[in-house]
Amino acid sequence: DAGVTQSPTHLIKTRGQQVTLRCSPKSGHDTVSWYQQALGQGPQFIFQYYEEEERQRGNFPDRFSGHQFPNYSSELNVNALLLGDSALYLCASSLAGIGYTFGSGTRLTVV
Amino acid sequence: TQLLEQSPQFLSIQEGENLTVYCNSSSVFSSLQWYRQEPGEGPVLLVTVVTGGEVKKLKRLTFQFGDARKDSSLHITAAQPGDTGLYLCAGSRSNDYKLSFGAGTTVTVRA
């Protein structure tokens, strides 16, 4: 039973570029949440997707956007990258918001 | 600003010693979870506590939820090098889909 799969595992981008991160949820899960974890910090909630809609959003600018597909997989898009966007981006899936399983994350470095 | 405050930030102990990590907040949570995160990996759920005053044991790990559901503690008995990692507490509040994380406690157990 595959857990949460995230791709790519590592990514280096230049300031001002755009990036797309991908997440496949655990089998049977229908809800996907995205978190940003800066070095030495706990994860910060970006947004949650359920039934292909953004259900809740954290305190992140509009440069951060997402999408959920009919198969429950999800993408996180970040536009106009800043150095401060460098972080580990985590995807967590759950069934109706209960029992979160986290992926291993995508390490984004902005140079 | 973290909704949940964890202490201490760092903890280094010898194998066989005991340790306690604290997670405090001024907010009431409907449930609180503890995770352990290894470098380069996503957080792995250890336990979920939902009832004020609840105590759960997982082998050498003991978790307690405060009576007012605002705080929690994690106690490890006879720590082993395999217990090394970043311990994160995360809370869920009623009518809120996100998990609010503490900044984490980095535990190092020396052989």
Side-chain angles (χ1 to χ4, degrees), chain A residues 33 35 37 40-45 48 55-58 88 90 97 99-105 107, chain B residues 1-2 9 33 35 37 40-45 86 88 92 95-104:
Chain A
S33 302
Y35 290 81
Q37 186 176 22
Q41 297 294 321
Q44 297 290 320
F45 176 76
Q48 183 181 91
R55 181 157 71 173
Q56 186 174 351
R57 187 179 185 90
L88 180 67
L90 295 164
Y100 290 93
T101 300
F102 281 82
S104 296
R107 171 68 65 185
Chain B
T1 303
Q2 304 278 164
Q9 187 177 358
Q33 301 176 4
Y35 293 83
Q37 186 176 21
E41 298 292 327
V44 175
L45 180 65
L86 176 66
L88 294 159
S92 294
N95 302 318
D96 191 353
Y97 295 110
K98 71 175 183 287
L99 285 176
S100 298
F101 280 85

Side-chain angles (χ1 to χ4, degrees), chain B residues 46-68:
Chain B
L46 297 174
V47 76
T48 299
V49 287
V50 298
T51 305
E54 181 177 5
V55 176
K56 279 192 174 180
K57 292 190 176 183
L58 186 68
K59 296 184 181 178
R60 295 177 293 100
L61 279 60
T62 302
F63 305 86
Q64 185 164 9
F65 201 13
D67 291 341

Side-chain angles (χ1 to χ4, degrees), chain A residues 11-75:
Chain A
L11 201 53
I12 299 175
K13 289 286 189 178
T14 304
R15 276 179 298 174
Q17 285 189 316
Q18 176 265 344
V19 69
T20 298
L21 310 182
R22 296 176 174 81
C23 173
S24 293
K26 181 178 178 179
S27 178
H29 284 184
D30 59 3
T31 305
V32 173
S33 302
W34 288 92
Y35 290 81
Q36 179 195 66
Q37 186 176 22
L39 203 60
Q41 297 294 321
Q44 297 290 320
F45 176 76
I46 302 175
F47 40 55
Q48 183 181 91
Y49 277 84
Y50 175 70
E51 292 187 341
E52 302 179 50
E53 296 287 333
E54 182 183 288
R55 181 157 71 173
Q56 186 174 351
R57 187 179 185 90
N59 189 25
F60 279 80
D62 292 344
R63 297 187 297 107
F64 290 76
S65 63
H67 190 77
Q68 185 179 34
F69 299 94
N71 67 352
Y72 306 118
S73 67
S74 177
E75 289 182 349

Side-chain angles (χ1 to χ4, degrees), chain B residues 59-81:
Chain B
K59 296 184 181 178
R60 295 177 293 100
L61 279 60
T62 302
F63 305 86
Q64 185 164 9
F65 201 13
D67 291 341
R69 291 186 289 136
K70 293 182 179 181
D71 55 85
S72 181
S73 64
L74 157 62
H75 182 79
I76 300 179
T77 303
Q80 299 175 0

Side-chain angles (χ1 to χ4, degrees), chain A residues 88-99:
Chain A
L88 180 67
Y89 288 85
L90 295 164
C91 170
S93 72
S94 63
L95 177 61
I98 299 173

